[in-house]
Amino acid sequence: MLPVALFIGVDIGGTKVLATAVSSSGRVRGTAVRTTPGRDVAASLIEDALTEAVQELAGVRRVGAIGIAAAGFVDAQGERVRFAPHLPWRDEGVRARLAERWSAPVVLDNDANCAARAELAHGAVGAAGSAAVVTLGTGIGGALIVDGAVIRGYNGMAGEFGHTQVVPGGRACECGGTGCWEQYCSGNALTRFVREQGVEDLTGREITAAAEQGDPVALAAFASVGEWLGVGLANLVASFDPQIVVVGGGLSAAGDLLLEPARRALRESLVGAEHRTVPPVVRAALGPEAGAIGAADLARQTFRSAGSRARARLRAVRETDRHR
Ligand SMILES: [Zn+2]
């Protein structure tokens, strides 16, 4: 019998590369992590980091397929990364290039789409037919689920909520615009808030720990970012009227420190709030690995049938041999 093939999901964000091997029930069987080399480096360096993580994880095992969850605009065909504010890829045919380099089937999608897919299959979306999913990391990723499917849009670029403008002429954003939502509501926004209060540079995790200890600056940082989260969510709920809102990404580890001010601001800002069901705002169930899990799921769903056809052919050949 052929050994069970490994389905790998790789999430590449502005800070790190996370590769996971994922079982069919969405369980993470192993991980490998690399630091993202940066946004102003050669694209080959990013691809080297991806390759190292995949190789470390796969070892000598047979790889069924690899899914890539990229923090950026992926075209509707899942072939090219059009633009990635936090990565050096600019209209590059990433899928085919990595499939050739790795000699393995590869699929590519936006990281938030992958996280939403994972939350739908194994996590917090569950039986809800429609959901808005936002992932708060370095920036904001987003995805919409309608009738149980991730909406990709005409260009494959639906759900880029992080770059909707909430403050005209506001803070400059890596995307080239100003006043984007993620400039006020993200890991970067959290660390900026603390820095502006004259505190030395702290990571999001350190700020979370400080807030849990009752540190007033850290609590104020979460109150600000949480309120901006609720204001932006009110725009999403007004537009799409989802059954549930799921918040994931590294920042969601702060739980109610972040979500309570968000729920308050959502109720206060949402049009017709008193005449409708305001959707619950819940924390993603799968944590920071959701993007990678969703990418592995996408790889499995896309290529499993091809693999089982190959196994069936092999069985047929063996049967023929035995009766010869
Ligand atoms: Zn932007």
Side-chain angles (χ1 to χ4, degrees), residues 4 13 23 28 63 65 71 87 124 128 138 178-179 191 214 241 265 289:
V4 176
S23 75
V28 172
V63 173
L87 298 170
T138 314
T178 57
T191 52
D241 193 14
E289 288 159 343

Side-chain angles (χ1 to χ4, degrees), residues 75-107:
D75 69 1
Q77 291 72 35
E79 285 292 328
R80 309 180 76 78
V81 174
R82 294 286 185 202
F83 172 64
H86 307 285
L87 298 170
W89 283 324
R90 296 291 178 270
D91 198 21
E92 310 216 31
V94 168
R95 193 208 64 76
R97 197 154 70 208
L98 289 174
E100 192 183 340
R101 181 166 177 176
W102 297 341
S103 303
V106 171
V107 288

Side-chain angles (χ1 to χ4, degrees), residues 1 10 40 43 55 63 75 84 157 282 311 316:
M1 204 176 111
V10 194
D40 300 315
Q55 282 173 344
V63 173
D75 69 1
M157 295 177 185
V282 303
R311 278 193 293 278

Side-chain angles (χ1 to χ4, degrees), residues 30-301:
T31 60
V33 181
R34 291 291 182 281
T35 301
T36 301
R39 62 182 286 242
D40 300 315
V41 300
S44 62
L45 284 184
I46 298 287
E47 292 160 26
D48 290 348
L50 285 170
T51 302
E52 281 178 25
V54 166
Q55 282 173 344
E56 180 187 322
L57 193 63
V60 296
R61 285 172 290 181
R62 189 170 72 83
V63 173
I66 300 166
I68 300 172
F73 298 90
V74 173
D75 69 1
Q77 291 72 35
E79 285 292 328
R80 309 180 76 78
V81 174
R82 294 286 185 202
F83 172 64
H86 307 285
L87 298 170
W89 283 324
R90 296 291 178 270
D91 198 21
E92 310 216 31
V94 168
R95 193 208 64 76
R97 197 154 70 208
L98 289 174
E100 192 183 340
R101 181 166 177 176
W102 297 341
S103 303
V106 171
V107 288
L108 169 71
D109 200 355
N110 168 268
D111 57 350
N113 285 352
C114 289
R117 179 182 280 277
E119 291 294 337
L120 177 64
H122 312 292
V125 174
S130 67
V133 181
V134 296
T135 53
L136 306 185
T138 314
I140 296 182
L144 271 180
I145 294 169
V146 175
D147 295 336
V150 176
I151 301 300
R152 303 197 69 243
Y154 177 67
N155 290 289
M157 295 177 185
E160 287 291 342
F161 311 133
H163 300 284
T164 53
Q165 195 181 49
V166 294
V167 181
R171 293 174 187 160
C173 182
E174 284 88 347
C175 73
T178 57
C180 293
W181 185 26
E182 72 171 36
Q183 293 303 318
Y184 303 86
C185 174
S186 63
N188 277 353
L190 189 78
T191 52
R192 176 208 290 255
F193 184 98
V194 170
R195 207 168 47 241
E196 283 177 353
Q197 303 303 306
V199 182
E200 61 184 298
D201 264 3
L202 295 176
T203 64
R205 195 170 296 171
E206 288 166 339
I207 298 168
T208 304
E212 282 163 353
Q213 302 288 318
D215 178 86
V217 172
L219 285 170
F222 273 106
S224 165
V225 169
E227 184 178 359
W228 274 112
L229 175 59
V231 168
L233 290 178
N235 292 337
L236 294 187
V237 174
S239 303
F240 303 108
D241 193 14
Q243 189 176 345
I244 190 171
V245 174
V246 176
V247 179
L251 217 57
S252 69
D256 284 345
L257 279 174
L258 175 76
L259 298 185
E260 262 313 305
R263 292 176 185 124
R264 241 186 340 263
L266 168 61
R267 276 193 302 274
E268 284 166 11
S269 309
L270 178 61
V271 61
E274 61 277 24
H275 306 292
R276 66 193 294 165
T277 307
V278 179
V281 178
V282 303
R283 190 175 153 187
L286 298 174
E289 288 159 343
I293 293 171
D297 261 12
L298 180 61
R300 186 187 303 274
Q301 278 171 20

